[in-house]
Amino acid sequence: MTDKKTPIPVPVLTIDGPSGSGKGAVGHILAQRLGWHFLDSGALYRALGVAAEQAGISFEDRPALARLATSMDIRFVPRADGAPAAVLLHGAEIGDRLRTEASGRLASIVAAIPEVRQALLQKQHSFRQPPGLVADGRDMGSTVFPDAILKVFLTASPEVRAARRHKQLMEKGFDVNLPRLLDEIRERDARDAGRAVSPLKPAEDACILDTSQLDISGVVERVHGLLQQRHRPG
């Protein structure tokens, strides 16, 4: 009689939270430190918004958006210098375009469409490969990877998050207005938290961490420490 062992699932660390909470930077650093794959789920929705605009698809045409979500070719290509991965849409680099507030608004719109979320679910699952995955977004722990070994939900006040985004965008050469940015973050928070499907909220078993008084390195160490308590490689 053959003893068939049940395969051990690829470990997943999920980092969720609102825009400007630091989840992207924290997730990228941790993925590099661990040698795991990285999924920036927000980039998938932002890329879909950009692709829809390029294709002239109405954001009210849900079936067309769902088909585009299924067919679009998006890849995250690691950089040799350790910087955040390049984002390629149909082979073209679109990373900088994805970081604008305009693409963020589009992402929030398409993310509220159930057909789109279902279409992107398989793409998100495909990133779960050995030795592990760090996934950041808004519903990674609550919906996409409910069996994650650690679920973290980062938060911070809207004012702190707006200031972070303002600094980030100014450093990239974008001309942005801080008060308007704060209004947009508040509007997006309300839209993301109020959507019918996978609203922005912590998973029931998530570790909630307020990053308002922490820098990125401080958050990384906190999350890494929590992960070490939960996961022993090998």
Side-chain angles (χ1 to χ4, degrees):
M1 182 176 179
T2 303
D3 181 19
K4 294 183 178 180
K5 294 184 178 180
T6 303
I8 299 175
V10 173
V12 178
L13 161 63
T14 62
I15 306 176
D16 290 311
S19 177
S21 59
K23 59 186 182 298
V26 170
H28 173 72
I29 293 171
L30 282 169
Q32 286 190 317
R33 179 182 292 190
L34 297 165
W36 288 9
H37 299 280
F38 178 60
L39 167 60
D40 178 352
S41 67
L44 294 180
Y45 290 99
R46 288 172 180 257
L48 178 59
V50 171
E53 277 198 325
Q54 291 177 345
I57 296 174
S58 168
F59 285 84
E60 296 181 357
D61 190 343
R62 294 187 172 194
L65 289 171
R67 288 193 296 271
L68 181 60
T70 301
S71 65
M72 72 173 181
D73 175 23
I74 181 169
R75 288 179 290 147
F76 298 92
V77 181
R79 299 183 192 271
D81 60 1
V87 184
L88 304 182
L89 176 63
H90 302 299
E93 165 71 70
I94 61 167
D96 286 342
R97 186 172 178 183
L98 295 189
R99 298 307 163 194
T100 65
E101 288 307 300
S103 70
R105 286 193 297 273
L106 294 179
S108 189
I109 292 171
V110 297
I113 301 173
E115 297 90 335
V116 166
R117 301 195 73 84
Q118 185 59 41
L120 285 179
L121 192 59
Q122 186 173 352
K123 280 188 184 297
Q124 292 169 336
H125 286 165
S126 71
F127 282 83
R128 187 174 191 170
Q129 298 178 18
L133 173 67
V134 177
D136 95 64
R138 284 167 171 74
D139 67 340
M140 295 295 97
S142 60
T143 302
V144 181
F145 299 106
D147 63 339
I149 59 173
L150 175 63
K151 303 172 186 178
V152 176
F153 190 91
L154 302 183
T155 186
S157 70
E159 291 77 12
V160 167
R161 290 187 282 123
R164 288 173 178 170
R165 288 291 291 156
H166 183 264
K167 181 174 183 290
Q168 182 184 53
L169 292 170
M170 291 292 287
E171 288 174 348
K172 289 182 174 292
F174 293 105
D175 184 16
V176 288
N177 177 276
L178 182 56
R180 185 167 63 247
L181 193 57
L182 177 58
D183 288 341
E184 290 174 347
I185 280 180
R186 285 172 170 160
E187 290 173 4
R188 185 169 185 187
D189 283 354
R191 185 164 57 244
D192 290 349
R195 67 192 181 209
V197 180
S198 296
L200 172 64
K201 65 177 183 179
E204 291 185 0
D205 53 347
C207 297
I208 301 175
L209 180 58
D210 189 324
T211 69
S212 298
Q213 304 301 320
L214 295 171
D215 59 14
I216 292 298
S217 62
V219 180
V220 167
E221 294 308 319
R222 290 276 191 92
V223 177
H224 188 247
L226 290 170
L227 182 64
Q228 287 181 313
Q229 296 173 17
R230 305 283 183 89
H231 179 62
R232 293 288 184 269

